[in-house]
């Protein structure tokens, strides 16, 4: 205690040994102060993990974003689902196949579908897209679809990083005229009014691949339900012994596009909330939707060639209807849910 009291201020503060000269002590103090200053400045301007990944919190970029708490919104979505339930359930098979008739029988509808010519397969090397980031082009696109399209290919890119519920970042739509990528972050307030009238329209078939999550995301973010829904993954199970088939497998078999599963997974797990998106990301996003109209046609024709039973085909349409009837539920925060999101984060961003 007596020894401690005898220490100088510099010795107490910087733990300078007593055998050092005054000059050496002053140098050590100056170096220590400079180090503290540099560390403080570095800490102040050091980007957070989210910023290094090019991703801000949704609260920073979205005026309206999904809440992260369990609220009375659950009743809201149940009420919406009740309103759309009859509309979704009453869509006949002929409308799912973009036919003018109101035929519910799968056999007769398929026969009518096969009489139509197959859509032209796009050359994936020459495929182009239009990026939509302003309300005007979005309105024009929706008006054109309502006037001229009986089917569209649709895909969605969602981001869940730094958000418990997640949020939609891109909506890709392909028609017979072209491919369109909609910036759902920039046009968030315009999506429901414009795309809602298309997704709710029973005369326009919306073609997805494995859209069970997309259905829920559209409800969560925009109160949008899918009326008249076709899922190429559901139908492909008829040809692949009931197994869920990845889109890249169908690309290789029907569209002449080869992509390794690891490459597709890399794009699926990329940061879709980053702006600007890379050219590679945008091209991949376009590919996710641009072949869906062709794939629907080719899968149905292949099923008929292999003489798949019409009862199985009808069952596939029932499965699609069940997917489109899924209702978003705002799950309450729990330890189990927290661990699930943590593990997803570790696998996605820290694989090593």
């Amino acid at each position: 205690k007596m020894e401690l009291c005898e220490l100088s201020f510099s010795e107490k503060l910087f733990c300078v040994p007593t055998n050092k000269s005054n000059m050496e002590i002053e140098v050590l103090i100056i170096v220590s102060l400079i180090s503290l200053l540099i560390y403080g400045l570095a800490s102040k301007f050091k980007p957070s993990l989210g910023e290094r990944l090019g991703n801000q919190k949704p609260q920073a970029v979205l005026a309206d974003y999904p809440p992260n708490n369990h609220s009375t919104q659950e009743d809201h979505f149940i009420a919406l689902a009740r309103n759309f339930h009859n509309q979704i359930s009453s869509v006949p098979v002929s409308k799912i196949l973009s036919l003018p008739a109101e035929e519910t029988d799968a056999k007769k509808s398929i026969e009518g579908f096969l009489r139509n010519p197959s859509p032209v397969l796009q050359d994936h090397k020459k495929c182009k897209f239009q990026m939509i980031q302003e309300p005007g082009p979005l309105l024009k696109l929706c008006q054109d679809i309502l006037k001229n399209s009986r089917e569209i290919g649709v895909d969605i890119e969602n981001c869940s990083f730094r958000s418990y519920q997640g949020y939609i970042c891109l909506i890709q739509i392909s028609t017979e005229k072209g491919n369109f990528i909609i910036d759902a972050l920039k046009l968030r307030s315009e999506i429901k009014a414009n795309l809602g009238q298309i997704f709710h329209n029973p005369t326009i078939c919306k073609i997805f691949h494995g859209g069970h999550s997309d259905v829920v995301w559209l409800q969560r973010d925009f109160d949008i339900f899918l009326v008249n829904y076709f899922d190429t993954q559901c139908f492909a199970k008829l040809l692949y012994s009931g197994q869920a088939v990845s889109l890249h497998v169908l690309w290789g078999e029907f569209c002449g596009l080869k992509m390794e599963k690891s490459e597709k997974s890399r794009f699926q797990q990329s940061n879709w909330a980053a702006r600007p998106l890379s050219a590679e990301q945008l091209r991949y996003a376009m590919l996710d939707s641009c072949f869906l109209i062709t794939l629907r046609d080719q899968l149905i024709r292949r099923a008929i060639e292999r003489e798949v039973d019409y009862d199985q085909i009808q069952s596939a349409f029932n499965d699609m209807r069940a997917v489109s009837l899924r209702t978003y539920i705002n799950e309450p925060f729990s330890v189990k849910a927290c661990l699930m999101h943590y593990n997803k984060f570790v696998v996605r961003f820290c694989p090593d």
Side-chain angles (χ1 to χ4, degrees), residues 185-200:
L185 297 183
K186 192 168 184 180
L187 294 174
R188 189 173 182 84
S189 61
E190 308 289 332
I191 298 295
K192 181 178 179 180
N194 288 282
L195 292 182
Q197 57 186 330
I198 294 172
F199 289 139
H200 298 163

Side-chain angles (χ1 to χ4, degrees), residues 122 127-130 173-174 177-181 286 289-290:
Q122 300 183 61
C127 286
K128 296 182 179 180
F129 65 88
Q130 179 185 344
I173 293 180
S174 293
K177 293 183 177 181
N179 307 297
F180 307 88
I181 300 178
M286 174 200 68
S289 66
C290 76

Side-chain angles (χ1 to χ4, degrees), residues 141-154:
L141 170 63
C142 294
Q143 289 174 340
D144 184 68
I145 290 174
L146 288 168
K147 184 178 179 180
N148 301 308
S149 297
R150 292 187 300 174
E151 64 272 308
I152 58 174
V154 185

